Amino acid sequence: MKDPASQDKNRCVNMIAHLFNAPLGDSDTAVGVGTVGSSEAIMLAGLAFKRKWQNKRKAEGKPCDKPNIVTGANVQVCWEKFARYFEVELKEVKLRDGYYVMDPKKAVEMVDENTICVAAILGSTLNGEFEDVKLLNDLLVEKNKSTGWDTPIHVDAASGGFIAPFIYPELEWDFRLPLVKSINVSGHKYGLVYAGIGWVIWRNKEDLPEELIFHINYLGADQPTFTLNFSKGSSQVIAQYYQLIRLGYEGYKNIMENCRDNMLVLKQGLEKTGKFNIVSKDNGVPLVAFSLKDNSCHNEFEVSDMLRRFGWIVPAYTMPPDAQHVTVLRVVIREDFSRTLAERLVIDIDKVLHELETLPSRIRAKTVLDNEEKPDVVVERVKKDQNETKEIITAWKKFVMEKKKMNGVC
Ligand SMILES: Cc1ncc(COP(=O)(O)O)c(C=O)c1O
């Protein structure tokens, strides 16, 4: 008897491969596997690239001990894990002020004969922006032509893989581009399944070296396996299959459009306060990343801290090199984040700003700045007031953690 969960898994792989425009030709079976999440999917895709590159180099009698991957400095930490665990150098294209994703031109300049792939992100973790995979593909095609290499592309579509096909179907980022050889996506992000499921799809059989696939027969039939862990619960696969069948293309499209609409409500509300620069884009992952226009008296970490008092967990973080001087707050809009919640969050952020602006030390620090008094005259007084402020915030935090339920925003 065939294992029903394994059949569901194959059906999910096929549906997702179709969604990503995999060139299936006459074959009715796409090449892909279910994983614990995008991290495992990326490990497997990375391994396939590394092995393919090594096989080719060995066949050519060339050294194959210094493989590298070119990415933007905005990659998610799982790429750093892959690089460290599987001994591949990560060559990162630095960010710059106002440009927080990988610059395709710079990425292609960094490609050399040891590059096993360029990894582009469809939906940067930091600001949700989609990287320009089409431009990257076109530039890399040119470079491959002039060098004789055949450097491929992997798309990390952890979030964007379940967004772009539904609300930006014209955007070319997937297997429609010839150099895109594999794509990962998280089922537990916009795939709308609970935690513990991801997918990696290969363009075709030749992109996944056969020697990485293990065949076992002790469970009653030949079972090919290519995962890091062997045994795994099937509930996430069944949930993914259920969601794909239950919602269909139209269902996912409606949900993604709704997320985008609620993102715009939040973004416009924040803009109206006049206090923030928005660093996310309207046509990426439905999230709002924003930073304070004026952080001379209070910063994004304090806003994040104070928001906990209202039950919100909104992370604040600094951007990677060379934009590390920029700090942002980020709110990811998922299916259950309604318009009402978006409006309430804007109100709470406004209250937090008002409080930060009127706390004793803030007022005095601001007076010093406004009146251009000599800072050393009042520096001790401000220090004392800042300690008082810290005490107030700590007391509030303690109160909130004990008394109030938190609304998580991840
Ligand atoms: C772009 C990107 N890649 C990979 C990952 C890792 O995904 P997972 O948590 O599904 O392993 C994330 C998670 O936030 C991500 O945003």
Side-chain angles (χ1 to χ4, degrees):
M1 197 182 82
K2 280 220 166 191
D3 166 17
S6 147
Q7 285 182 20
D8 288 353
K9 191 167 68 193
N10 293 342
R11 288 181 189 144
C12 289
V13 165
N14 276 342
M15 282 188 265
I16 296 168
H18 273 105
L19 202 59
F20 295 169
N21 294 294
L24 297 181
D26 292 337
S27 158
D28 57 354
T29 320
V31 186
V33 293
T35 58
V36 176
S38 276
S39 311
E40 187 192 2
I42 284 165
M43 306 281 160
L44 299 175
L47 260 181
F49 282 119
K50 183 178 172 187
R51 184 59 62 93
K52 242 199 126 188
W53 173 83
Q54 283 176 325
N55 288 347
K56 184 165 179 278
R57 297 280 292 180
K58 278 181 196 160
E60 292 168 351
K62 292 179 180 161
C64 57
D65 56 339
K66 287 195 168 52
N68 70 64
I69 288 183
V70 174
T71 66
N74 53 317
V75 280
Q76 211 264 359
V77 67
C78 67
W79 283 95
E80 287 166 34
K81 270 194 185 178
F82 169 76
R84 206 177 298 171
Y85 293 175
F86 295 96
E87 299 181 331
V88 175
E89 183 198 353
L90 212 55
K91 289 174 47 169
E92 294 182 350
V93 179
K94 297 251 192 320
L95 310 185
R96 56 180 189 268
D97 229 351
Y99 194 89
Y100 305 121
V101 289
M102 177 176 73
D103 180 339
K105 205 162 160 269
K106 289 199 177 135
V108 173
E109 279 165 16
M110 285 169 83
V111 167
D112 59 31
E113 60 179 331
N114 294 320
T115 304
I116 63 172
C117 77
V118 181
I121 313 173
L122 199 79
S124 172
T125 317
L126 304 174
N127 73 343
E129 192 171 342
F130 290 166
E131 291 182 345
D132 192 341
V133 192
K134 169 104 175 69
L135 177 59
L136 175 69
N137 178 85
D138 295 350
L139 294 172
L140 206 47
V141 165
E142 286 303 309
K143 179 139 184 173
N144 284 346
K145 219 187 276 174
S146 65
T147 55
W149 305 330
D150 51 6
T151 312
I153 297 174
H154 174 87
V155 183
D156 175 358
S159 293
F162 276 116
I163 296 167
F166 302 109
I167 53 177
Y168 308 111
E170 306 306 323
L171 184 74
E172 288 183 55
W173 63 275
D174 54 16
F175 293 117
R176 281 168 286 182
L177 303 172
L179 290 183
V180 173
K181 303 295 182 189
S182 50
I183 301 174
N184 68 276
V185 63
S186 297
H188 54 220
K189 293 190 171 75
Y190 288 89
L192 309 177
V193 178
Y194 37 81
I197 183 86
W199 302 94
V200 54
I201 311 289
W202 283 271
R203 185 180 193 85
N204 51 45
K205 264 174 86 173
E206 295 72 55
D207 296 306
L208 174 56
E210 180 63 32
E211 72 255 35
L212 293 178
I213 303 170
F214 287 81
H215 291 265
I216 54 115
N217 62 8
Y218 72 87
L219 293 175
D222 174 58
Q223 281 203 4
T225 120
F226 180 40
T227 47
L228 294 184
N229 202 70
F230 183 62
S231 302
K232 194 153 52 192
S234 57
S235 64
Q236 287 88 351
V237 171
I238 292 165
Q240 182 76 79
Y241 184 53
Y242 173 73
Q243 289 289 58
L244 291 171
I245 296 292
R246 180 177 77 99
L247 295 167
Y249 187 89
E250 283 304 313
Y252 270 90
K253 183 167 182 273
N254 288 342
I255 290 170
M256 299 312 148
E257 280 173 350
N258 198 39
C259 290
R260 183 179 55 190
D261 292 350
N262 292 335
M263 174 273 288
L264 289 172
V265 169
L266 177 62
K267 187 193 125 184
Q268 285 153 10
L270 292 172
E271 279 173 336
K272 237 185 242 167
T273 66
K275 304 271 170 67
F276 297 107
N277 289 319
I278 307 292
V279 298
S280 46
K281 304 279 181 209
D282 290 356
N283 55 357
V285 177
L287 64 79
V288 188
F290 51 106
S291 54
L292 283 163
K293 278 185 182 165
D294 174 10
N295 58 8
S296 56
C297 294
H298 46 263
N299 61 35
E300 290 80 0
F301 294 103
E302 288 167 300
V303 174
S304 171
D305 250 8
M306 295 276 280
L307 274 171
R308 284 177 173 257
R309 182 147 62 82
F310 295 91
W312 299 102
I313 302 171
V314 179
Y317 48 90
T318 53
M319 287 289 194
D322 282 340
Q324 60 273 60
H325 54 283
V326 180
T327 306
V328 298
L329 292 146
R330 188 193 67 159
V331 181
V332 179
I333 312 297
R334 290 188 50 144
E335 188 192 7
D336 56 354
F337 190 87
S338 64
R339 186 189 173 112
T340 314
L341 271 186
E343 288 166 350
R344 216 172 77 194
L345 178 56
V346 173
I347 293 170
D348 289 343
I349 288 176
D350 216 27
K351 280 188 204 155
V352 161
L353 287 180
H354 181 72
E355 277 192 34
L356 281 169
E357 279 160 14
T358 50
L359 278 170
S361 64
R362 311 290 154 176
I363 298 170
R364 289 189 207 156
K366 203 161 170 23
T367 314
V368 173
L369 292 172
D370 290 349
N371 298 339
E372 290 179 11
E373 279 178 41
K374 274 203 177 133
D376 55 326
V377 179
V378 283
V379 79
E380 281 310 313
R381 178 157 49 89
V382 171
K383 255 192 207 162
K384 187 169 163 272
D385 287 343
Q386 277 173 341
N387 286 339
E388 274 171 23
T389 307
K390 260 188 205 147
E391 277 168 28
I392 294 169
I393 291 176
T394 312
W396 265 114
K397 267 199 218 161
K398 195 160 171 275
F399 171 77
V400 169
M401 298 308 265
E402 281 168 6
K403 304 271 182 230
K404 278 191 76 173
K405 186 175 158 283
M406 311 298 277
N407 285 325
V409 181
C410 60

